[in-house]
């Protein structure tokens, strides 16, 4: 133990003799470690933000998608495949308390994209043909005017409720309710404007126009199927039971006896959270791995400088051997120097990384994002052990070279 | 018997070229002697010193140090002997630059088993022995050549070795400084320290008590010094 201490004492003396050089050599490690820490921390912060947003939608929601898919994989509709197996009547069947006692409300969607005009303004936006159940199921709130009612969703009445973004783009500050807008050349009366909701889990809730689902299907999209059913469960504990109910009802309606032949898939928000966590984790670690590459570059810089140092200090090595240093002593001395550089660099990089991460999370908070400042102890342990390892790996060759110098030759070296 | 060498040979082989440096030397050195190994450059005197000082190994022959056969020792054990039994003084001083006199002298103790609390005291003692206490905290590169060599002698003494090897210790010094160095070496010998001085100058070698002359890797003379020179202030080394 004492030998190790004296090794690092000698090493720090040597490093202090060449302060600028030691610092510049260290810089590669500082930046590498800081980058790894920042990416892991910012990644975890962004992840917490996304997960919090998804949770804000309600964890007691389940979604029914057309087409069969693995529970852990993406649904077919994500790939752009159109499957037409779900209908408005399916959604209504799920809303029936006799079929599904735990479901409190249901919303069906038929989605599309269209250009919308008001006077000489025009925007491209999302058309959400939906049902009255949207308000309750998705916690939607109307800012001005009203949402369409149960009767209107089945009729072909041409009325529309604007998302706050669409309202702003089309009408600016002027009133929208009562105005006529054109969607795909059909005139619609604006009956309401939704409250601003922001972007949640990559989906912009404000950039859409709600129209009654039948109107959307028949007049705008020309389809009979729907894209998505969402159902709200009375209590989180009943989610599994509710999913079973939904499957039973839909199989009955679709004449399916073998679950392998399902033409729909049911997902809960909990599953969605899992999938999002998996994706964001993969991104986070991929970026951290790229950042860690800079540590290798830093390590090569250290090896380079250590080789120069060994050559420069050949006479010193010769002398140390002449006065009794063993090969092991010399090896430890130069290894200690390399490891000191990387460890000190690692600690500086860690402090820098934590400070920058704190700065970013504080900034995100000021912009009123729910961004957690997360530094996992694991990332600190990882960063420090990697710096130690880099020193060990890239310091070994120069140190071995130093320890194998012939003392007589080394003493004569000019 | 401190050093007992018989039929010592050293052959260098590099790129198929065989260079015979030492051709079977036999010599004994008692504890307390002051021996000059003298010869022209290329005579093999430095190689002999390196072998006697455990820096190099002979190709063949026997070397007993304090009765122990050292030709069979491993590198680690030789390093241990260098640390504990011998001290080197080099022509070019070989002090660590930008390092204090104190730390330079302390350097060999880094590799010794001496208890830490005794180390500083020991360092101060040997610095005082070469009259360098007033420069203890100077960097070695702030000193004159003579002062540097005195620090180097202190460094050689710090482990209280059985022998001091001095390889052309006055070679890089002006004569006044050179006299001071020889004076210190003679004083150390008077106190009982064994000293082996390697030089090519007859004049310098005559400060020893015994001269071993080497030429072309062979001992060509081994006799006591009749008119031994005593280094005194004002004397001119030439």
């Amino acid at each position: 133990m004492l030998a190790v201490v004296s090794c690092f004492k000698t090493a720090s003396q040597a490093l202090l003799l060449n302060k600028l050089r030691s610092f510049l050599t260290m810089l590669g490690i500082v930046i590498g470690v800081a980058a790894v820490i920042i990416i892991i921390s910012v990644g975890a912060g962004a992840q917490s933000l996304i997960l919090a947003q998804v949770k804000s939608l309600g964890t007691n929601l389940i979604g029914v998608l057309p087409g069969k898919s693995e529970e852990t994989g993406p649904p077919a509709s994500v790939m752009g495949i159109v499957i037409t197996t779900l209908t408005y009547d399916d959604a209504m069947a799920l809303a029936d308390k006799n079929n599904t006692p735990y479901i409190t409300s249901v919303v069906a969607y038929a989605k599309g994209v269209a250009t919308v005009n008001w006077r000489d303004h025009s925007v491209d936006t999302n058309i959400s043909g939906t049902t009255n159940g949207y308000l309750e199921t998705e916690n939607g709130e109307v800012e001005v005017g009203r949402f369409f009612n149960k009767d209107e969703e089945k009729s072909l009445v041409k009325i529309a409720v604007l998302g706050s973004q669409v309202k702003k783009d089309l009408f600016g500050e002027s009133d929208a309710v009562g105005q006529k807008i054109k969607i795909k050349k059909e005139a619609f009366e604006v009956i309401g404007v939704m409250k601003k909701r922001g972007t949640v889990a990559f989906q912009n809730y404000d950039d859409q126009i709600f129209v009654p689902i039948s109107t959307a299907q028949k007049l705008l999209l020309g389809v009979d199927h729907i894209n998505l059913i969402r159902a709200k469960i009375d209590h989180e504990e009943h989610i599994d039971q509710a999913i079973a109910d939904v499957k039973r009802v839909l199989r009955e309606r679709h004449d399916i006896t073998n679950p392998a032949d399902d033409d729909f898939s049911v997902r809960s928000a909990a599953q969605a959270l899992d999938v999002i966590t998996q994706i964001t984790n993969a991104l986070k670690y991929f970026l951290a791995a790229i950042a860690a590459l800079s540590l290798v570059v830093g390590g090569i810089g250290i090896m380079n400088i250590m080789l120069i140092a060994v050559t420069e200090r050949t006479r010193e090595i010769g002398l140390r051997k002449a006065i009794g240093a063993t090969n092991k002593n010399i090896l430890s001395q130069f290894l200690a120097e390399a490891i000191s550089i990387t460890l000190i660099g690692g600690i500086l990089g860690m402090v820098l990384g934590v400070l920058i991460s704190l700065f970013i999370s504080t900034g995100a908070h000021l912009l009123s994002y729910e961004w957690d400042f997360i530094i996992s102890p694991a990332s600190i342990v990882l960063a420090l052990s990697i710096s130690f390892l880099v020193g060990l790996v890239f310091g070994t060759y120069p140190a071995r070279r130093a320890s194998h110098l012939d003392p007589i030759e080394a003493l004569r070296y000019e | 018997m401190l050093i007992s060498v018989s039929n010592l040979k050293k052959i260098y082989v590099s790129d198929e070229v065989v260079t015979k440096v030492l051709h079977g030397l036999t010599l004994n050195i008692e504890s307390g002697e002051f021996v000059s190994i003298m010869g022209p450059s290329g005579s093999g005197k430095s190689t002999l010193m390196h072998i006697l000082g455990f820096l190099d190994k002979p190709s063949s022959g026997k070397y007993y140090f304090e009765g122990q056969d050292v030709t069979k020792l491993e590198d680690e054990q030789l390093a241990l002997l260098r640390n504990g039994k011998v001290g080197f003084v080099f022509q070019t001083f070989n002090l660590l630059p930008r390092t204090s006199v104190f730390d330079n002298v302390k350097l060999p103790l880094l590799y010794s088993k001496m208890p830490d609390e005794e180390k500083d005291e020991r360092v101060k003692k040997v610095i005082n022995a070469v009259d360098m206490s007033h420069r203890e905290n100077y960097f070695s590169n702030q000193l004159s050549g003579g002062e540097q060599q005195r620090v180097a002698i202190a460094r050689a003494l710090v482990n209280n070795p059985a022998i001091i090897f001095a390889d052309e210790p006055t070679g890089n010094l002006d004569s006044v400084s050179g006299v001071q160095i020889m004076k210190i070496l003679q004083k150390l010998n008077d106190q009982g320290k064994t000293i082996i001085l390697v030089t090519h100058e007859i004049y310098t070698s005559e400060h020893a008590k015994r001269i071993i002359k080497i030429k072309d890797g062979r001992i060509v003379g081994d006799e006591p010094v009749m008119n031994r020179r005593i280094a005194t202030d004002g004397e001119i080394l030439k």
Side-chain angles (χ1 to χ4, degrees):
Chain A
M1 195 57 219
L2 210 70
V4 174
V5 171
S6 86
C7 251
F8 278 94
K9 225 167 125 189
T10 312
S12 63
Q13 281 164 3
L15 295 179
L16 286 175
L17 284 182
N18 257 316
K19 288 191 196 68
L20 181 64
R21 186 155 94 180
S22 307
F23 173 72
L24 289 177
T25 313
M26 221 172 260
L27 212 53
I29 300 298
V30 174
I31 292 171
V33 168
V36 171
I37 298 245
I38 291 168
I39 284 173
I40 292 185
S41 167
V42 167
Q47 202 170 26
S48 74
L49 175 72
I50 294 169
L51 292 181
Q53 285 183 339
V54 172
K55 279 180 190 154
S56 78
L57 295 179
T59 46
N60 55 343
L61 284 185
I62 60 172
V64 184
L65 294 155
K68 185 174 171 53
S69 67
E70 296 297 324
E71 285 194 347
T72 51
S77 52
V78 170
M79 319 275 202
I81 299 166
V82 178
I83 299 171
T84 60
T85 48
L86 281 186
T87 64
Y88 175 76
D89 291 337
D90 286 334
M92 290 308 111
L94 295 182
D96 188 341
K97 280 274 177 197
N98 298 322
N99 291 332
T100 53
Y102 301 114
I103 291 180
T104 56
S105 67
V106 166
V107 57
Y109 289 96
K111 294 188 176 191
V113 183
T115 304
V116 180
N117 299 294
W118 179 67
R119 296 186 182 162
D120 55 348
H121 298 269
S122 101
V123 288
D124 291 320
T125 187
N126 301 296
I127 304 299
S128 293
T130 186
T131 59
N132 173 260
Y134 175 80
L135 292 183
E136 164 145 25
T137 315
E138 302 260 27
N139 302 326
E141 284 180 82
V142 178
E143 171 107 47
V144 194
R146 65 178 182 90
F147 208 76
F148 39 84
N149 60 35
K150 193 83 192 143
D151 293 329
E152 286 164 332
E153 79 183 35
K154 284 182 284 188
S155 67
L156 293 178
V157 57
K158 292 187 267 185
I159 51 177
V161 178
L162 307 185
S164 64
Q165 179 73 47
V166 179
K167 185 304 177 163
K168 208 174 145 208
D169 291 347
L170 275 183
F171 293 92
E173 296 303 315
S174 56
D175 278 345
V177 176
Q179 298 290 327
K180 293 274 184 192
I181 56 171
K182 278 194 169 169
I183 308 174
K184 286 199 176 169
K185 293 175 185 156
E186 301 274 357
F188 280 70
E189 184 188 347
V190 177
I191 59 166
V193 177
M194 301 301 287
K195 262 194 181 156
K196 184 172 166 58
R197 216 167 159 191
T199 300
V200 178
F202 313 117
Q203 188 186 351
N204 186 347
Y205 274 75
D206 301 324
D207 186 17
Q208 59 182 331
I209 292 181
F210 301 93
V211 297
I213 190 161
S214 304
T215 313
Q217 286 176 315
K218 304 285 182 317
L219 296 180
L220 299 178
L221 306 173
V223 297
D224 289 322
H225 66 271
I226 60 176
N227 304 106
L228 170 68
I229 300 169
R230 276 214 181 106
K232 193 176 199 173
I233 317 298
D234 58 357
H235 200 279
E236 279 185 41
E237 287 168 17
H238 295 140
I239 285 179
D240 288 342
Q241 184 58 46
I243 289 176
D245 287 343
V246 167
K247 286 182 174 169
R248 179 178 44 77
V249 170
L250 290 180
R251 279 175 197 148
E252 232 165 69
R253 288 181 54 83
H254 294 184
D255 292 328
I256 295 166
T257 47
N258 182 356
D261 297 332
D262 279 356
D263 55 3
F264 60 89
S265 37
V266 186
R267 283 152 185 268
S268 65
Q271 284 172 342
L273 283 178
D274 283 349
V275 172
I276 292 171
T277 308
Q278 274 176 24
I279 295 171
T280 46
N281 267 344
L283 268 176
K284 192 169 72 180
Y285 292 123
F286 173 67
L287 288 174
I290 291 180
L293 271 184
S294 63
L295 287 173
V296 175
V297 178
I300 294 169
I302 284 164
M303 182 139 125
N304 196 8
I305 288 296
M306 290 307 295
L307 283 173
I308 294 174
V310 169
T311 309
E312 277 179 354
R313 285 154 61 192
T314 299
R315 278 170 74 95
E316 176 192 326
I317 295 163
L319 171 79
R320 283 179 185 271
K321 286 195 160 185
I323 60 174
T326 59
N327 289 1
K328 229 157 99 191
N329 290 140
I330 301 292
L331 183 84
S332 333
Q333 185 194 337
F334 280 88
L335 214 48
E337 276 182 36
I339 290 172
S340 299
I341 290 179
T342 57
L343 261 191
I344 295 170
I347 290 169
L348 289 181
M350 191 183 78
V351 172
L352 188 71
V354 169
L355 286 180
I356 292 179
S357 305
L358 185 64
F359 179 76
I360 291 173
S361 85
T362 310
H365 266 289
L366 288 180
L367 296 172
S368 63
Y369 285 104
E370 278 183 49
W371 186 291
D372 293 347
F373 172 59
I374 302 168
I375 297 286
S376 70
S379 71
I380 294 203
V381 172
L382 189 78
L384 289 185
S385 40
I386 287 181
S387 356
F388 178 84
L389 219 68
V390 166
L392 192 67
V393 168
F394 290 97
T396 297
Y397 175 67
R400 277 182 62 87
R401 202 146 123 171
S403 72
H404 285 134
L405 284 177
D406 176 19
I408 300 166
E409 300 264 325
L411 277 169
R412 284 197 191 124
Y413 184 84
E414 290 296 332
Chain B
M1 192 72 66
L2 186 62
I3 287 175
S4 174
V5 167
S6 61
N7 202 22
L8 197 73
K9 289 182 181 170
K10 182 69 186 180
I11 298 165
Y12 287 107
V13 181
S14 66
D15 299 333
E16 308 295 311
V17 180
V18 177
T19 317
K20 289 187 179 173
V21 183
L22 299 178
H23 298 263
L25 303 187
T26 300
L27 63 97
N28 294 321
I29 295 173
E30 298 277 4
S31 190
E33 282 198 73
F34 190 157
V35 183
S36 276
I37 297 177
M38 210 196 72
S41 61
S43 59
K45 62 185 189 302
S46 287
T47 305
L48 176 61
M49 186 201 86
H50 290 148
I51 291 172
L52 294 182
F54 315 115
L55 279 168
D56 206 350
K57 289 178 183 174
S59 304
S60 68
K62 288 287 168 204
Y63 175 16
Y64 289 93
F65 182 84
E66 291 182 335
Q68 182 189 15
D69 182 0
V70 295
T71 51
K72 294 202 172 69
L73 295 183
E74 299 293 323
D75 284 352
E76 291 263 315
Q77 293 163 301
L78 289 177
L80 214 68
L81 281 179
R82 286 200 295 272
N83 186 241
K85 294 296 182 186
V86 301
F88 288 100
V89 178
F90 303 99
Q91 180 174 0
T92 49
F93 326 135
N94 281 323
L95 299 178
L96 297 188
R98 287 188 289 168
T99 303
S100 72
V101 165
F102 186 89
D103 286 339
N104 262 294
V105 173
K106 198 178 175 182
L107 202 60
L109 298 183
L110 195 67
Y111 307 109
S112 86
K113 297 260 182 283
M114 185 183 287
D116 270 353
E117 52 275 17
E118 290 173 28
K119 284 181 179 174
D120 287 7
E121 201 183 317
R122 176 73 194 158
V123 171
K124 282 183 197 293
K125 198 178 157 193
V126 290
I127 290 177
N128 190 46
V130 296
D131 287 332
M132 286 298 292
S133 295
H134 59 299
R135 294 275 191 266
E136 199 177 277
N137 296 314
Y138 278 55
F139 279 165
S140 62
N141 43 312
Q142 292 171 319
L143 305 179
S144 72
E147 287 174 321
Q148 289 194 43
Q149 196 60 300
R150 274 149 65 191
V151 174
I153 292 174
R155 183 180 62 196
L157 285 172
V158 75
N159 261 340
N160 196 22
I163 311 180
I164 301 255
F165 287 98
D167 187 3
E168 308 272 13
T170 60
N172 276 19
L173 298 178
D174 63 277
S175 60
V176 176
S177 307
V179 169
Q180 279 188 326
I181 296 305
M182 295 316 297
K183 215 169 128 183
I184 292 172
L185 291 179
Q186 286 188 328
K187 191 174 102 191
L188 289 171
N189 180 245
D190 291 344
Q191 291 164 359
K193 195 68 78 190
T194 312
I195 295 181
I196 297 180
L197 172 72
V198 175
T199 182
H200 66 281
E201 296 168 331
I202 297 172
Y203 187 88
T204 307
S205 72
E206 284 170 354
H207 287 79
K209 292 174 180 165
R210 170 184 169 196
I211 298 179
I212 297 173
K213 287 184 182 156
I214 294 191
K215 202 179 171 191
D216 297 332
R218 289 186 176 84
I219 294 178
V220 294
D222 183 352
E223 46 204 33
V225 180
M226 290 309 174
N227 300 308
R228 189 182 177 208
R229 291 181 191 274
I230 304 299
T232 47
D233 294 331
E235 179 197 0
I236 309 290
L237 276 183
K238 58 169 188 177

